[in-house]
Each structure stands twice: as C-alpha cells, then as structure tokens.
Amino acid sequence: MDIERAFGEVLRKERKNNSLSQEELAHFSDLDRTYISMLERGKRQPSLKTIFMLASTLNTLPSEIMVKVESLLNKKY
Amino acid sequence: MDIERAFGEVLRKERKNNSLSQEELAHFSDLDRTYISMLERGKRQPSLKTIFMLASTLNTLPSEIMVKVESLLNKKY
DNA sequence: CTGTAGACTTCCGTCGACC
DNA sequence: TGGTCGACGGAAGTCTACA
C-alpha cells in the first residue's frame, strides 16, 4: 500500500460519507472533477493546500484525514 | 497567515526541536537543502509524500504536524 | 456518475553556485 | 549555517471530449 493509494481510499470513503458525487466535491473544493477521480484512484498526490480544501468540503480536519491515511498504511496483512 | 507559512513555521520549530540543520533534515528526508529553505520560508508547499518523509525524519506523525498547522491557522490576533 | 486521454499551464523539487 | 538565483525535468491541476 503506498501513500497515494491510501489517501485515495480515505478520500473516497469520506466523500461517500458526505453523500457527494466527485463532481460536487470538485466544485465545492474548487478543483477539477477529473483530478478528484485521479486522486481517488491513487494516480496523483495532493499538495498541502489541496488537502486543506478537500478536508473543509468534507467537514473534517486535514489532521483527521492524515490519521486515517496513517492507519491504512500501518495495517499489516 | 496562509497555509504555506504556517507549515513553514511548524517545520522550522520541529527541525530545531530535533537539533538538525536544514542540510541534515534535507539529507535524511531525501530532499534538497534549498527546498527545505523555501518550505520553511513559506515559498513552496509540500506534497503529501514530502510531508510523510519530513515527519518521519522529525520523529513525528504527519497528522501531528497537521494539528500544529491547523492550530497556527486558527489563532486570532 | 465515473474513468480515461491528450494537451496545456503552473508549480514542485533538484542542482550548482555565490553570498 | 542559511538565503537566494537561474535553469531544468517532472508532476500537479485544468479543460474538453468520449465511453
């Protein structure tokens, strides 16, 4: 599991928790829909600002997103 | 206070807490010294991976760094 | 509603050099 | 030890379009 994939998983879960489409998330976060798609699939990694904008739209804190990413990365199978 | 500056402040504090020079932090994090300098001065914003690499060198968690950045941003003067 | 592709602009991150 | 400059390759992020 690499960092981008872990972030993508967390992003998708949080988006669905908020009952948003990729398009809505993109719009409210001032980002592009195709870029959200790539983030969720681990094809791109966000910058610091992007993390803050997404967290704000998802009614959570950047630090809480990071906690979830960290716990995904620490899971051993 | 913008996001990059807040991050830069936190980075510099954490680096000094660990008694590292910019050059040492750069080396152990596999980054460039000039880039660390720009990060600390809020001239660049790190990507997700960069945050993880820096946190690891600084013996802390990415989420803990984010908490500190968030609290700097929430300070009202 | 989402994935992907291509072309595009802006910025990240490296490197060598000098102060 | 840290700040800065210029040049560079590659990646972030946008946009249009089609499946």
Side-chain angles (χ1 to χ4, degrees):
Chain A
M1 169 73 79
D2 59 22
I3 296 176
E4 296 97 313
R5 274 179 191 259
F7 181 86
E9 272 194 37
V10 172
L11 180 60
R12 179 161 293 180
K13 264 180 213 154
E14 292 296 313
R15 176 174 64 80
K16 299 204 164 168
N17 283 348
N18 283 265
S19 305
L20 294 171
S21 66
Q22 290 184 350
E23 190 156 12
E24 291 166 330
L25 174 57
H27 179 246
F28 294 134
S29 308
D30 248 320
L31 292 168
D32 195 81
R33 185 192 68 77
T34 64
Y35 178 55
I36 301 290
S37 171
M38 294 179 117
L39 279 180
E40 288 190 358
R41 301 176 56 73
K43 301 288 185 189
R44 287 276 196 285
Q45 54 159 339
S47 68
L48 183 64
K49 257 185 184 159
T50 302
I51 297 168
F52 270 79
M53 294 194 291
L54 290 170
S56 151
T57 301
L58 294 169
N59 295 303
T60 183
L61 253 24
S63 55
E64 289 181 7
I65 293 186
M66 297 304 254
V67 167
K68 288 170 186 164
V69 173
E70 288 160 8
S71 69
L72 265 186
L73 289 172
N74 289 332
K75 271 190 190 153
K76 309 281 190 292
Y77 293 99
Chain B
M1 168 76 75
D2 59 22
I3 296 175
E4 295 98 312
R5 273 180 192 259
F7 182 86
E9 272 194 37
V10 171
L11 181 60
R12 178 160 294 180
K13 264 181 213 153
E14 292 295 313
R15 176 173 65 81
K16 298 203 164 168
N17 283 348
N18 283 267
S19 306
L20 294 172
S21 66
Q22 289 184 349
E23 189 156 13
E24 290 167 330
L25 174 56
H27 179 246
F28 294 134
S29 307
D30 248 320
L31 292 167
D32 195 83
R33 205 212 94 227
T34 64
Y35 179 54
I36 301 290
S37 171
M38 293 177 118
L39 280 180
E40 288 189 357
R41 300 178 56 76
K43 300 290 184 186
R44 287 276 197 285
Q45 53 159 342
S47 68
L48 183 65
K49 257 186 184 159
T50 301
I51 297 168
F52 270 80
M53 294 194 291
L54 289 170
S56 152
T57 301
L58 294 169
N59 295 304
T60 183
L61 254 25
S63 54
E64 289 180 8
I65 292 186
M66 297 304 252
V67 167
K68 288 171 186 165
V69 173
E70 288 159 9
S71 68
L72 265 185
L73 289 172
N74 289 332
K75 272 191 190 151
K76 310 281 189 293
Y77 292 99

